[in-house]
């Protein structure tokens, strides 16, 4: 079967229009003249092997080395993409694709597009996203730099599994196939390399059916300079992953601060070892306030994620679920703020009275001062959380 849009006849390419391709190969491209022809021919072999009508879409990011002409000569449809970036090119290519299935991969001939049937089979069986796993396939000698193979990819993939519970061994494999409608529904927006992480994370948050299969990786041709920048792009992937994991980015760190604060206070209260000075209480108070601020951000972020991706996001227990239940949740937070403010004020008055009349020891007064700061911190936490959620609800014009 010939690729959609082109038919091979006596070594030449004649235009053949077919408005109903089932499979689209999408290839981002920026000055890939040395390898683009081989990559497109690989797509032809893979498309023919699937038995489906197919097209090849090259999303060109402003090539100046003749890549556009090569793509057209090899039977691909070129989509110009003025916004620079790996994610921008892929996003434009996927939107321009006409097939219900899309197989994406790089133009450097390292990925095996001729393995298309292996990726299409799970999609035809009901999967939404099929990821390649280079570590369970074959990585040819020199195909992956040492740092990428033994540090970058394994660590980021491990973090992906920890943060999102995604059972994927190769989080950043660029060869993947998916249902076009499912991925478009995710509203992916990153223009850089982290687009690949965004796709997997949002697919997981939307409960799409993910499947992973082994795939092979070939080495870059001699002299080709990869577009990937190890440390810069690694940091961008990590930053994006943490941004989409409020449970770890906010709740985890906030919980550490909270536990440290309570331990310091307990040590001071029991006059344990070196933690008997008032400095311990100052640090404990700061940690408690920091914990309140971080947990407040977690609750608000969880609310936003629940509105966008579903209530299962960032589980915080029944208490948080009740707090975030529409208007009644905001009202509970505001009532809690007033109650804790009243308690903090009362404790402050008791503290001032005890200090003026010397009715309590210095140790007891310091503890009372700490408890006062705790009450006021919780009051501020409740108010800020309720106010931020209320603002989000109003901004999104949600019913509450």
């Amino acid at each position: 079967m010939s690729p959609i849009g082109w038919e091979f006849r006596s070594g030449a390419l004649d235009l053949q229009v077919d408005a109903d391709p089932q499979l689209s190969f999408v290839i981002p491209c920026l000055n890939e003249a040395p390898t683009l022809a081989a990559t497109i021919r690989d797509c032809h072999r893979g498309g023919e092997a699937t038995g489906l009508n197919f097209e090849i879409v090259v999303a060109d990011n402003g090539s100046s080395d003749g890549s556009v002409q090569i793509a057209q000569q090899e039977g691909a449809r070129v989509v110009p993409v003025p916004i620079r970036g790996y994610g921008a090119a892929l996003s434009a290519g996927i939107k321009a694709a006409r097939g219900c299935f899309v197989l994406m991969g790089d133009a450097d001939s390292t990925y095996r597009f001729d393995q298309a049937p292996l990726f299409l089979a799970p999609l035809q069986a009901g999967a939404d996203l099929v990821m390649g796993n280079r570590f369970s396939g074959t990585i040819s000698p020199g195909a992956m730099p040492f740092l990428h193979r033994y540090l970058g990819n394994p660590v980021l993939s491990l973090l992906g599994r920890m943060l999102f519970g995604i059972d994927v061994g190769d989080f950043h494999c660029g060869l993947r196939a998916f249902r076009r409608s499912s991925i478009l529904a995710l509203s992916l927006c990153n223009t850089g390399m982290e687009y690949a992480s965004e796709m997997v994370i949002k697919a997981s948050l939307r409960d799409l059916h993910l499947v992973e299969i082994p795939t092979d990786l070939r080495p870059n041709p001699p002299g080709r300079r990869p577009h990937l920048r190890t440390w810069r792009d690694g940091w961008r992937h990590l930053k994006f992953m943490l941004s989409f994991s409020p449970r770890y980015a906010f709740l985890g760190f906030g919980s550490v601060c909270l536990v440290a604060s309570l331990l310091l206070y307990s040590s001071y209260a029991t006059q344990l070892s070196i933690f008997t000075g008032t400095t311990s209480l100052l640090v404990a108070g700061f940690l408690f306030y920091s914990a309140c601020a971080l947990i407040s951000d977690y609750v608000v972020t969880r609310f936003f994620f629940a509105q966008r991706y579903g209530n299962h996001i960032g589980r915080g227990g029944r208490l948080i679920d009740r707090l975030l239940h529409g208007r009644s949740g905001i009202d509970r937070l505001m009532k809690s703020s007033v109650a804790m403010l009243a308690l903090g004020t009362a404790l402050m008055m008791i503290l001032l009275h005890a200090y003026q009349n010397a009715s309590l020891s210095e140790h007891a007064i310091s503890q009372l001062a700490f408890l006062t700061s705790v009450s006021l911190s919780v009051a501020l936490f409740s108010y800020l959380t309720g106010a931020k959620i209320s603002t989000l609800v109003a901004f999104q014009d949600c019913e509450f």
Side-chain angles (χ1 to χ4, degrees):
M1 187 165 297
S2 62
I4 298 303
W6 302 91
E7 183 180 22
F8 287 101
R9 289 179 182 170
S10 304
L13 289 169
D14 296 327
L15 188 62
Q16 180 187 24
V17 178
D18 189 330
D20 190 29
Q22 297 164 282
L23 169 63
S24 297
F25 293 89
V26 174
I27 306 168
C29 175
L30 175 60
N31 294 327
E32 300 285 5
T35 57
L36 186 57
T39 300
I40 294 174
R41 291 168 190 167
D42 225 18
C43 292
H44 284 302
R45 287 190 288 271
E48 293 284 352
T50 65
L52 301 177
N53 291 335
F54 67 97
E55 66 172 352
I56 302 171
V57 178
V58 171
D60 185 70
N61 224 181
S63 297
S64 57
D65 64 346
S67 292
V68 171
Q69 291 75 18
I70 292 172
Q72 293 170 339
Q73 290 168 6
E74 293 294 333
R77 177 163 61 95
V78 177
V79 176
V81 185
I83 301 174
R84 283 294 181 97
Y86 173 79
L90 277 173
S91 181
I94 293 168
K95 289 176 182 176
R98 294 177 293 166
C100 57
F101 301 128
V102 173
L103 179 60
M104 60 171 256
D106 297 342
D108 56 6
S109 78
T110 59
Y111 286 122
R112 295 282 304 275
F113 284 99
D114 59 350
Q115 294 178 334
L118 300 178
F119 284 82
L120 264 292
L123 292 179
Q124 293 169 325
D128 293 295
L129 172 60
V130 182
M131 299 281 297
N133 187 328
R134 296 163 293 183
F135 298 101
S136 61
T138 300
I139 301 177
S140 300
M144 187 181 291
F146 181 87
L147 280 177
H148 295 189
R149 184 170 185 174
Y150 297 104
L151 179 63
N153 274 293
V155 170
L156 289 175
S157 296
L158 176 62
L159 279 175
R161 292 192 293 272
M162 289 175 55
L163 298 179
F164 306 100
I166 304 173
D167 188 19
V168 170
D170 188 359
F171 212 75
H172 300 103
C173 181
L175 187 62
R176 53 186 73 175
F178 46 83
R179 295 179 181 274
R180 179 174 175 271
S181 58
S182 298
I183 297 304
L184 287 179
L186 299 179
S187 300
L188 305 179
C189 58
N190 276 281
T191 59
M193 288 291 183
E194 64 271 33
Y195 180 90
S197 294
E198 183 185 13
M199 179 184 292
V200 184
I201 291 169
K202 287 188 175 180
S204 173
L205 296 180
R206 291 286 191 184
D207 287 329
L208 298 187
H209 183 194
L210 275 67
V211 174
E212 190 174 40
I213 64 171
T215 190
D216 301 332
L217 185 68
R218 298 176 291 206
N220 271 299
R224 182 188 179 276
R225 184 179 179 184
H227 296 304
L228 181 68
R229 299 292 178 265
T230 301
W231 298 107
R232 182 199 65 182
D233 292 322
W235 161 242
R236 291 174 68 170
H237 280 290
L238 176 60
K239 181 175 65 174
F240 181 83
M241 292 165 70
L242 291 175
S243 299
F244 267 75
S245 181
R247 184 166 40 189
Y248 286 85
F250 297 124
L251 183 61
F253 192 31
S255 298
V256 170
C257 290
L258 181 62
V259 170
S261 172
L262 296 178
L263 286 176
L264 271 177
Y265 169 72
S266 300
S267 300
Y268 180 86
T270 58
Q271 296 184 306
L272 176 66
S273 185
I274 62 173
F275 300 107
T276 56
T278 53
T279 302
S280 297
L281 284 189
L282 290 174
V283 175
F286 171 77
L287 288 172
F288 191 90
Y289 175 79
S290 299
C292 285
L294 287 164
I295 295 173
S296 172
D297 286 338
Y298 165 72
V299 173
V300 174
T301 307
R302 183 192 182 281
F303 170 81
F304 174 79
F305 274 36
Q307 292 286 313
R308 186 76 180 266
Y309 299 106
N311 291 323
H312 66 290
I313 300 304
R315 292 183 179 88
R318 293 183 180 178
L319 174 61
I320 291 180
D321 288 336
R322 291 186 64 190
L323 286 176
L324 300 182
H325 186 65
R327 183 183 292 279
S328 61
I330 296 172
D331 290 343
R332 288 190 189 97
L333 286 167
M334 292 305 181
K335 289 175 182 177
S336 171
S337 177
V338 172
M340 295 307 294
L341 179 61
L343 176 60
T345 302
L347 289 174
M348 188 179 297
M349 294 176 66
I350 294 172
L351 176 65
L352 291 173
H353 182 270
Y355 182 79
Q356 290 174 351
N357 295 280
S359 57
L360 293 175
S361 66
E362 182 180 345
H363 191 261
I365 288 176
S366 297
Q367 291 184 70
L368 189 59
F370 173 75
L371 295 176
T372 301
S373 71
V374 165
S375 299
L376 295 176
S377 293
V378 173
L380 184 61
F381 157 81
S382 300
Y383 168 74
L384 289 178
T385 304
K388 286 185 282 190
I389 291 177
S390 181
T391 302
L392 276 175
V393 170
F395 180 76
Q396 295 178 355
D397 197 25
C398 297
E399 225 174 300
F400 65 103

